C-alpha cells in the first residue's frame, strides 16, 4: 500500500466523513444508514472507535514480522453472527448515552485529525499490533481507510447530496476488495467503484446479471460484512 500513500489516503477518508457529518444537526444525525439498525450518529461512533484505536496502535510499535496484510486481515471479519450483533447493540447503547448526537460529531472532529497526524508521523517501515494481529504500518492504515470509505457510503443512504469519499481513499478500498476476490475474477463492466464496494460488502445484493457475469465467483460475495 506504500505506493498509494497510505497516510494521505487515510487523511482523505477521515476528512470525507467529517464533510458528511460536520454540518448535520441532531435530526440529521438520526437518519438511517446502510448498517442495519444504526443511525448516522451510531455509525459515526463506530468509526470513531477506529480512530481511537489508531491512536493507541500507532503509539505502540512492535517488532515484525507481520502475520497478516491489508487484505488477509479482513478474513477474520466476514460479518454477521452473534459477535457482530453484540457489537451493533453496544454501539447503539453507547451512542444513546451522549446528551446529543452532535456531541459525537464534536468528539470525532477532535479525534480523527489526531489519528491522521499520528499516521503522518508513523514509521512506514515499522510494525504495529491490533486486534490480535501484527501488520506493517502501511497495511494497518489501509485497513482503517477501507473501513472508513465503506462506512462513508453507508452514511449516504439518506444523505444523497453528501460529498462522496475521495478518489485516493476509494482506490485503497477497491484494492482491498480486489485482493479478497479470486485472481481470475473479472468485475462486471457496469459496476463503478462505489457499486463494487457496496456489493462486495453486501450492502447491495447481486443482480441476476451480476451473477451471470461473475460466474462461480458470485459465491464469494459478500467479501466482507
Amino acid at each position: 500500500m506504500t505506493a498509494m500513500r497510505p497516510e494521505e489516503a487515510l487523511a482523505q477518508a477521515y476528512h470525507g466523513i467529517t464533510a458528511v457529518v460536520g454540518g448535520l444537526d441532531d435530526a440529521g444525525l438520526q437518519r438511517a444508514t446502510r448498517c442495519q439498525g444504526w443511525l448516522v450518529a451510531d455509525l459515526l461512533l463506530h468509526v470513531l472507535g477506529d480512530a481511537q484505536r489508531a491512536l493507541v496502535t500507532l503509539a505502540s510499535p512492535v517488532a515484525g514480522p507481520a502475520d497478516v496484510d491489508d487484505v488477509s486481515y479482513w478474513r477474520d471479519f466476514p460479518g454477521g453472527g452473534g459477535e457482530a450483533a453484540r457489537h451493533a447493540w453496544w454501539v447503539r447503547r453507547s451512542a444513546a448515552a451522549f446528551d446529543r448526537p452532535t456531541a459525537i460529531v464534536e468528539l470525532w472532529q477532535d479525534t480523527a485529525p489526531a489519528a491522521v497526524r499520528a499516521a503522518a508521523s508513523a514509521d512506514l517501515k515499522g510494525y504495529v499490533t491490533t486486534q490480535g494481529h501484527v501488520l506493517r504500518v502501511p497495511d494497518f492504515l489501509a485497513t482503517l481507510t477501507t473501513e472508513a470509505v465503506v462506512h462513508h457510503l453507508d452514511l449516504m443512504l439518506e444523505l444523497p447530496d453528501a460529498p462522496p469519499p475521495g478518489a485516493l481513499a476509494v482506490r485503497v478500498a477497491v484494492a482491498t476488495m480486489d485482493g479478497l476476490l479470486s485472481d481470475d475474477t473479472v468485475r462486471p463492466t457496469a459496476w463503478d467503484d462505489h457499486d463494487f464496494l457496496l456489493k462486495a460488502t453486501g450492502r447491495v445484493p447481486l443482480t441476476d446479471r451480476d451473477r451471470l457475469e461473475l460466474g462461480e465467483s458470485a459465491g464469494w460475495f459478500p467479501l466482507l460484512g
Side-chain angles (χ1 to χ4, degrees), residues 69-90:
D69 61 19
D70 56 307
V71 173
S72 58
Y73 166 86
W74 292 106
R75 297 197 171 104
D76 278 355
F77 303 96
E83 185 175 346
R86 285 191 294 273
H87 175 68
W89 181 239
W90 178 86

Side-chain angles (χ1 to χ4, degrees), residues 181-223:
L181 278 173
S182 59
D183 292 339
D184 58 350
T185 300
V186 177
R187 191 196 312 181
T189 56
W191 291 4
D192 62 20
D193 286 342
H194 291 183
D195 293 330
F196 182 31
L197 293 173
L198 291 172
K199 294 189 178 189
T201 56
R203 269 64 175 175
V204 175
L206 298 179
T207 65
D208 290 341
R209 182 181 179 86
D210 292 337
R211 294 185 180 280
L212 180 63
E213 291 193 48
L214 286 167
E216 293 183 0
S217 296
W220 289 63
F221 284 71
L223 303 176

Side-chain angles (χ1 to χ4, degrees), residues 133-209:
H133 290 295
V134 175
L135 300 91
R136 295 172 56 248
V137 168
D139 289 337
F140 171 61
L141 299 182
T143 67
L144 296 173
T145 300
T146 293
E147 182 148 5
V149 168
V150 171
H151 286 323
H152 186 143
L153 296 175
D154 289 333
L155 289 169
M156 295 178 66
L157 177 66
E158 292 189 358
L159 301 168
D161 295 328
L168 179 59
V170 168
R171 183 181 169 203
V172 171
V174 167
T176 298
M177 302 307 159
D178 282 337
L180 289 168
L181 278 173
S182 59
D183 292 339
D184 58 350
T185 300
V186 177
R187 191 196 312 181
T189 56
W191 291 4
D192 62 20
D193 286 342
H194 291 183
D195 293 330
F196 182 31
L197 293 173
L198 291 172
K199 294 189 178 189
T201 56
R203 269 64 175 175
V204 175
L206 298 179
T207 65
D208 290 341
R209 182 181 179 86

Side-chain angles (χ1 to χ4, degrees), residues 1-3 6 57-58 62-70 122-130 133-143:
M1 301 310 300
T2 305
T57 300
L58 292 170
V62 297
D67 65 298
V68 292
D69 61 19
D70 56 307
D123 178 7
L124 295 181
K125 296 181 180 179
Y127 298 85
V128 292
T129 183
T130 186
H133 290 295
V134 175
L135 300 91
R136 295 172 56 248
V137 168
D139 289 337
F140 171 61
L141 299 182
T143 67

